Amino acid sequence: MHGRVKVKTTEEQAEAKEKERLQKLEKFKKLLDAIHAKVDAKELDIELLELTQHVLSGNPDYYTLWNIRRETMDVLLETKPEDIKQLFGHELHFLESCLQVNPKSYSVFLQRRWVMTRHPNPDWKQELSLCNTFLQHDERNFHCWDYRRFVVKHAGVSVGEEFEFTNSKIKANFSNYSAWHYRSKLLPELYPDPTSKGRPTEDALLQEYQYVQNAFFTDPSDQSAWFYHRWLLGRSIFCFTISSVC
């Protein structure tokens, strides 16, 4: 009827989606062909970085393309070492946009490590802030937790400060398994037992038993705190029991 917007049928919608998919696939193939042609011709230049960026911006887990980017940047820095700050600055910005697409991309975090260890003036505080932002969005992002441990080693953050960070995350959510796991890595470093390498002191273990019981009483069915409790038991000389609640 006149004046009414035509609504596409389910079949028409499916056809439109399929057409769009094929167009994207064709564009994707052309980009890959162009990339491989330049690699085969050993043309490792800015244009190659731009081509790989087009693909990775939509599919950041294409590991081979990150390898190509690293090789290309190595070549560019050999010819123009003065461009290192600009080149790496752009790469860090691009990587952050890729994490917006997939915050759990192993390839992106690996590339970020590569850049940060070669950057002439790495801003580790900024990296720590980035980790905090992504952990606020997803507190169980284990790739981000792993990257945070890498950043902390370079940022000069003390073990005690990181231990307090796990406190804040656990208080916010007792189900944060990643925070409990990180805590188990920090405890032997913060309170090392001088008589047994890699083991925390008995006093530290006693304090942790009390700490983890708060999580039990808050949510007895949650597994995260129980896993940590079992870890504590495996490192204690003595046997402990949870106090009964009347």
Side-chain angles (χ1 to χ4, degrees), residues 170-234:
I170 291 170
K171 286 178 181 178
N173 183 6
F174 283 121
S175 299
N176 193 336
Y177 176 79
S178 295
W180 287 111
H181 175 72
Y182 192 21
R183 196 176 182 87
S184 72
K185 299 295 183 183
L186 295 170
L187 191 66
E189 293 186 46
L190 189 61
Y191 303 106
D193 187 339
T195 63
S196 181
K197 186 178 179 181
R199 183 179 169 278
T201 63
E202 285 297 313
D203 286 343
L205 288 170
L206 280 170
Q207 291 177 1
E208 288 301 287
Y209 276 115
Q210 295 298 321
Y211 184 80
V212 77
Q213 283 185 36
N214 292 330
F216 295 158
F217 298 147
T218 301
D219 187 359
S221 63
D222 183 73
Q223 294 184 347
S224 299
W226 288 107
F227 277 123
Y228 184 65
H229 181 261
R230 186 167 65 179
W231 178 84
L232 291 172
L233 286 174

Side-chain angles (χ1 to χ4, degrees), residues 52-245:
T52 56
Q53 181 169 327
H54 280 304
V55 177
L56 290 168
S57 60
N59 182 12
D61 295 310
Y62 204 133
Y63 186 80
T64 302
L65 297 189
W66 290 114
N67 283 336
I68 293 173
R69 286 183 76 82
R70 287 192 285 271
E71 291 176 12
T72 303
M73 283 189 276
D74 278 338
V75 170
L76 291 173
L77 292 176
E78 284 181 8
T79 56
K80 289 186 176 182
E82 66 275 10
D83 292 343
I84 186 170
K85 287 185 179 180
Q86 181 180 355
L87 189 64
F88 282 166
H90 176 273
E91 188 71 358
L92 289 173
H93 180 73
F94 173 54
L95 287 166
E96 189 170 343
S97 68
C98 288
L99 286 174
Q100 299 290 341
V101 177
N102 182 7
K104 295 182 179 180
S105 175
Y106 170 78
S107 299
V108 175
F109 278 113
L110 183 65
Q111 180 76 356
R112 202 164 184 95
R113 287 188 189 217
W114 184 85
V115 172
M116 290 301 293
T117 53
R118 286 161 178 77
H119 201 295
N121 301 109
D123 189 344
W124 294 109
K125 288 185 178 180
Q126 172 61 30
E127 292 303 290
L128 199 61
S129 177
L130 180 76
C131 292
N132 290 340
T133 298
F134 278 97
L135 287 177
Q136 283 179 345
H137 290 304
D138 183 359
E139 59 196 13
R140 297 188 180 188
N141 185 340
F142 61 92
H143 287 306
C144 188
W145 277 101
D146 189 46
Y147 183 67
R148 182 188 174 89
R149 285 191 283 272
F150 160 77
V151 171
V152 162
K153 290 179 181 179
H154 292 84
V157 180
S158 69
V159 176
E161 288 175 304
E162 280 299 275
F163 199 70
E164 284 302 313
F165 178 74
T166 65
N167 276 338
S168 66
K169 288 297 179 184
I170 291 170
K171 286 178 181 178
N173 183 6
F174 283 121
S175 299
N176 193 336
Y177 176 79
S178 295
W180 287 111
H181 175 72
Y182 192 21
R183 196 176 182 87
S184 72
K185 299 295 183 183
L186 295 170
L187 191 66
E189 293 186 46
L190 189 61
Y191 303 106
D193 187 339
T195 63
S196 181
K197 186 178 179 181
R199 183 179 169 278
T201 63
E202 285 297 313
D203 286 343
L205 288 170
L206 280 170
Q207 291 177 1
E208 288 301 287
Y209 276 115
Q210 295 298 321
Y211 184 80
V212 77
Q213 283 185 36
N214 292 330
F216 295 158
F217 298 147
T218 301
D219 187 359
S221 63
D222 183 73
Q223 294 184 347
S224 299
W226 288 107
F227 277 123
Y228 184 65
H229 181 261
R230 186 167 65 179
W231 178 84
L232 291 172
L233 286 174
R235 277 139 193 85
S236 178
I237 297 175
F238 306 104
C239 180
F240 297 94
T241 57
I242 297 176
S243 303
S244 60
V245 180

Side-chain angles (χ1 to χ4, degrees), residues 18-51:
E18 179 62 14
K19 184 179 180 180
E20 183 182 359
R21 187 188 71 82
L22 291 173
Q23 288 175 343
K24 288 182 178 179
L25 181 60
E26 184 64 25
K27 182 180 179 182
F28 180 76
K29 287 180 178 179
K30 287 182 178 179
L31 283 169
L32 286 184
D33 288 342
I35 289 169
H36 291 307
K38 289 186 72 66
V39 172
D40 291 341
K42 300 188 182 303
E43 296 175 358
L44 306 183
D45 51 22
I46 292 293
E47 184 185 2
L48 183 55
L49 289 180
E50 292 173 350
L51 288 170

